[in-house]
Structure formats: structure tokens, C-alpha cells
Amino acid sequence: MLDRSLNLDAPGPQMLRPDAAAVGWAVSPGLIPYPAAESAMEARVEAIAEGRAGELVWLLEHPPLYTAGVSAKPADLLDATRFPVFRSGRGGQFTYHGPGQRVAYVMLDLTRRGRDVRQFVRALQGWIIGALGELGVEGQVRDDRVGVWVEGDTGEDKVAAIGVKLRRWVSFHGVSLNVAPDLSHFSGIVPCGVTGHGVTSLAELGATADLAAADAALKHAFTRAFGPVAEAPPPI
């Protein structure tokens, strides 16, 4: 999810580095605690800003939890006792993370990519839509709603959320793609503050994609939007 004030239009632009340097691509097994992941992101962003580390995309899963972005409204937390709730400095409102959801934390140096926040978020949207296309799912964006959406028999449902933050022009937090999470876990919040629409997953849509297939599609689509990647160790 992202700040509505950006008022983004159609996705699609690239944000390639002029030097074509590869972005580190790391995948963590198991469930990574949210506080540990956030601390690792903070440290990596500082190192990137200071030139001590390269850019990194970090793919992981979290145990079941809710996070509240800077625009989160208390009334949108419908069940505060269901899962742990963590305050986050990312844009947006409440969201859920849990097993079966692929979280991708995106730590890119926007000084080397044009310092255009609007284009960056649109490129993130285009990345997810490109990955969904490889998995046989048509993703879409809406001017009045955050995330990436799909059209179903009963209306439009969200399949991926976007929530980013910048520090010294280095991005962190990122995107979450619902591969096969327990969708009932979203009922403890108003996801991203949006009512009248549901939440779905690749499994719910009938896509034959597990986390490994989703990761492969995400990697391939990322190279088109942001440039080459190279395998890297997770930051923790």
C-alpha cells in the first residue's frame, strides 16, 4: 500500500540504473520475525546510502501479524488481539503478513535511478503486474485504490499490496503478493483502509503457483522493470 496523495496513474515505466549494476536477490527460508526484518532493513538502507553495500531485494515470509503504516486509522484494526500488531514507518494503512504470502523488501538507491518517487511506485506496480502475467493472472491498478487488483465474479479483489518508505533516497519496505495465505486472517483489519472490495490470492484464483513459482516470476519481471539481479545472502 502507498500514500494516496501520490495519485498514481497507469503502471509500466522502468527504473534502470545507468551503470546496469546487478541488484542483490536474496530469499530467506522459514518465517522471519517482523522486528528482526525491519532492523535488518534499517541497517542495509544506511549501508546503501553510505556506499558500503549494494542494492537488495529480500524475499521472505513472516509469521501471522498486522502492520500499521503512517496513515493507519485505529478504527481499521477490527481485532487487536488476534495477531501481534507492529507500527511501521512505511506509507499506507493496516495490512496483514503471514505464511503463504511472499513479502519482497525492496532496497534500491533512487539517487542512481532518477529520484522520481511517482515513477518508482508505478514501476513497482508494473513489476507485480508483469509477474502476475507470467502466472496467468491479469493484474490491474486503480486510480482511487492502492495495490494490485484482479477482477472476479463478485467484483474486484486485491492480490498484492505496496507500501514503501524512502530514507536518503534509498527505498525500503516494498510489496506483498498473496500466493496462498489464509485469507481469513485479513478479517481482523480493514486492509489498506479499503472497504467494499475483497482480498484474494493466486491459490484462490486457481493459479497453479507455489512460492517457488511466484519467486521465479517476480525475479524475471523485476529484471525488466529495474535491471539485472544476482544471487545474494539474506541480511539476517
Side-chain angles (χ1 to χ4, degrees):
M1 80 191 77
L2 53 95
D3 191 326
R4 291 177 184 273
S5 65
L6 291 174
N7 191 26
L8 302 169
D9 43 35
Q14 297 176 327
M15 287 204 77
L16 305 175
R17 280 182 59 160
D19 56 7
V23 176
W25 189 269
V27 182
S28 284
L31 302 179
I32 307 300
Y34 186 80
E38 192 166 46
S39 294
M41 275 195 292
E42 296 266 356
R44 183 63 177 241
V45 165
E46 191 69 18
I48 294 170
E50 294 178 355
R52 296 184 286 106
E55 298 176 309
L56 182 70
V57 175
W58 181 21
L59 275 59
L60 51 79
E61 291 176 279
H62 287 304
L65 57 92
Y66 298 129
T67 68
V70 295
S71 301
K73 301 174 183 177
D76 287 344
L77 180 59
L78 305 179
D79 186 351
T81 64
R82 188 169 189 180
F83 298 123
V85 180
F86 297 95
R87 295 287 164 181
S88 170
R90 60 163 173 77
Q93 303 184 44
F94 280 103
T95 195
Y96 165 77
H97 293 313
Q101 181 190 72
R102 176 54 84 206
V103 175
Y105 289 134
V106 181
M107 291 161 270
L108 299 181
D109 184 355
L110 296 196
T111 294
R112 297 177 180 269
R113 295 177 182 272
R115 288 195 175 189
D116 188 328
V117 179
R118 184 185 302 271
Q119 184 172 349
F120 172 59
V121 180
R122 288 176 59 201
L124 290 175
Q125 292 174 323
W127 167 35
I128 298 303
I129 289 171
L132 290 173
E134 295 193 15
L135 299 170
V137 174
E138 182 182 356
Q140 302 174 356
V141 294
R142 294 292 180 264
D143 292 341
D144 61 336
R145 278 178 267 126
V146 296
V148 177
W149 299 79
V150 296
E151 293 187 1
D153 294 337
T154 59
E156 295 176 347
D157 297 324
K158 180 184 287 186
V159 70
I162 298 174
V164 295
K165 181 177 181 179
L166 297 179
R167 178 174 299 155
R168 297 172 63 183
W169 287 103
V170 179
S171 68
F172 58 123
H173 297 281
V175 306
S176 56
L177 173 63
N178 296 330
V179 180
D182 185 338
L183 294 178
S184 71
H185 290 180
F186 285 88
S187 64
I189 57 172
V190 178
C192 301
V194 177
T195 59
H197 299 281
V199 177
T200 192
S201 67
L202 296 178
E204 184 81 0
L205 294 167
T208 56
D210 55 12
L211 281 176
D215 289 353
L218 286 167
K219 180 188 283 187
H220 188 218
F222 183 90
T223 63
R224 295 196 301 269
F226 295 99
V229 300
E231 299 299 321
I236 55 174

